Amino acid sequence: MEAVATLMGYAILSVLVFPGLVALSVASLLTEWFVRKTVARMQNRMGPAYVGPIGLLQPFADFFKLLLVKRYVEQRYSSPLLAAAGVALGIGALTTALLLFPLSPLRLVAPYDVIAFIYLMILWPFLSLIIVSLAWPNPFVIAGVSRAIALAVVTEPTLVASILVPMNIIAKRYPQVQPYSIYYTSTTVYKLWADPNVGVVNYVITLLLLIASMIAIIIAVQSKVMLKPFDIPEAEQELIAGFATEFSGPIYALFRLFHDMKITVLALAIVYIFLGGPAPYSHLTVEGVLTLLAKYVAVVFIVSLVRGAFGRFRIDQAIRKIVAYALIPSVIALILSLII
């Protein structure tokens, strides 16, 4: 009974506190601040500046203002309950996906658990977006959702192919490691970056495959979270706000939090699956924490840099760019990773 109680305690801690709902919410809002501040500096603007030191608490103030003050507007065919359920499903899926990473006190570890990660991180957030959007049917919403679906057709396969590249290499090179596991990939992948003992040719090929898949997944992340230049589904000059046109009040607050959580979890996925998290240090050291934080900030900075440097593509341009610079390279890297 004592062991069961301890397990339940770890489960509650991991799901609700760290790295679960509370920690993920705080990290996501801080990430929003960092992205907004970085893009603002690139465009010679102030960015968040009014609440907290250097505007650090501005995303928190925006969230609680929407959550507690404003109210959503009901229409004849709207369904606020369906929208709330959709957001809850998306947030729940992202929170659960964190349990697959090494930073969780309670870890879900198994061979081929990447399937669960794909289900939680790729499938459910997209379905949640569609559910929430169609809870307020509107011509602009429908146009935005159709564009999101068009992007997803090329974005989601790119994410899957990119994630599988380091896993394929690890499965062939380290057969003693449980295959296609998020945890074991995260704790092993750093060896691929610093192990020339496999031979110069294989080492160079491995580096090229990792770099190509990292570039592909960063482009795919930019598209999945619909940041410029892939914010076509919510193009304000054309569609008001696209799929988010009718959002307001608490639903809009939770949807923005859900959006920030996607950025946070996807950035963490890149940091762990491609860069080894805190490697070569452990989580429980100062060096490990600083290394993990530095890698995370670097990934988010690249995402912010792309957002601030590009204007919005047309939908046909976006699909061509993703196919040319992300989908095809990731598929080629996937095939080569099965061969080497």
Side-chain angles (χ1 to χ4, degrees):
M1 290 297 294
E2 184 177 345
V4 173
T6 302
L7 181 62
M8 289 297 295
Y10 275 117
I12 294 172
L13 174 66
S14 299
V15 173
L16 297 182
V17 184
F18 181 85
L21 189 59
V22 174
L24 179 58
S25 298
V26 172
S28 300
L29 293 174
L30 291 175
T31 299
E32 178 191 333
W33 171 85
F34 182 82
V35 172
R36 289 171 60 185
K37 201 73 171 179
T38 302
V39 174
R41 291 300 183 187
M42 292 178 62
Q43 299 173 347
N44 200 26
R45 297 185 289 107
M46 289 177 58
Y50 294 104
V51 183
I54 59 174
L56 195 62
L57 300 179
Q58 188 68 54
F60 295 86
D62 295 341
F63 173 75
F64 286 110
K65 179 182 178 181
L66 286 170
L67 189 66
L68 302 176
V69 177
K70 296 184 179 181
R71 302 181 64 183
Y72 52 77
V73 178
E74 292 195 39
Q75 298 177 351
R76 181 176 180 182
Y77 298 106
S78 64
S79 177
L81 184 61
L82 179 62
V87 174
L89 285 172
I91 291 176
L94 295 176
T95 303
T96 306
L98 286 178
L99 301 182
L100 296 167
F101 291 118
L103 82 167
S104 175
L106 178 67
R107 305 184 188 103
L108 304 178
V109 182
Y112 302 96
D113 61 22
V114 67
I115 298 173
F117 181 78
I118 291 171
Y119 177 76
L120 293 169
M121 186 62 247
I122 296 178
L123 177 63
W124 267 113
F126 180 66
L127 292 179
S128 299
L129 170 66
I130 295 177
I131 292 171
V132 177
S133 301
L134 296 183
W136 270 281
N138 171 296
F140 297 116
V141 171
I142 294 172
V145 169
S146 67
R147 292 184 178 189
I149 293 173
L151 284 178
V153 169
V154 292
T155 299
E156 310 299 352
T158 301
L159 285 170
V160 174
S162 300
I163 289 171
L164 291 178
V165 170
M167 293 187 172
N168 283 340
I169 300 173
I170 289 172
K172 291 174 69 68
R173 195 164 297 173
Y174 303 99
Q176 71 276 15
V177 174
Q178 291 189 17
Y180 301 95
S181 165
I182 297 293
Y183 175 83
Y184 285 103
T185 299
S186 302
T187 55
T188 309
V189 70
Y190 76 95
K191 298 178 183 178
L192 301 181
W193 294 95
D195 185 16
N197 296 327
V198 295
V200 176
V201 175
N202 281 339
Y203 179 61
V204 172
I205 293 175
T206 298
L207 290 184
L208 292 176
L209 294 181
L210 291 175
I211 292 171
S213 56
M214 272 194 66
I215 294 173
I217 198 172
I218 288 174
I219 295 173
V221 166
Q222 204 85 21
S223 174
K224 186 172 180 64
V225 299
M226 287 174 278
L227 296 178
K228 280 185 172 59
F230 302 110
D231 58 337
I232 308 106
E234 51 183 358
E236 58 271 10
Q237 289 88 349
E238 305 170 36
L239 304 176
I240 311 299
F243 58 82
T245 299
E246 300 292 344
F247 294 171
S248 62
I251 296 298
Y252 188 43
L254 292 173
F255 183 82
R256 285 182 52 172
L257 179 63
F258 170 52
H259 176 267
D260 294 339
M261 284 181 171
K262 283 196 290 184
I263 298 175
T264 302
V265 177
L266 285 167
L268 281 173
I270 295 174
V271 168
Y272 274 99
I273 296 174
F274 288 89
L275 302 177
Y281 307 102
S282 68
H283 285 91
L284 301 180
T285 62
V286 174
E287 295 88 350
V289 173
L290 294 177
T291 301
L292 178 62
L293 183 61
K295 291 178 181 179
Y296 178 79
V297 170
V299 171
V300 176
F301 177 75
I302 293 172
V303 171
S304 306
L305 191 67
V306 174
R307 176 187 170 182
F310 288 88
R312 182 185 304 117
F313 291 149
R314 297 195 312 267
I315 184 66
D316 58 315
Q317 291 176 323
I319 292 175
R320 285 200 300 268
K321 298 292 185 185
I322 295 172
V323 170
Y325 298 109
L327 181 58
I328 291 177
S330 65
V331 171
I332 293 174
L334 178 63
I335 294 171
L336 292 177
S337 69
L338 291 169
I339 297 173
I340 66 168

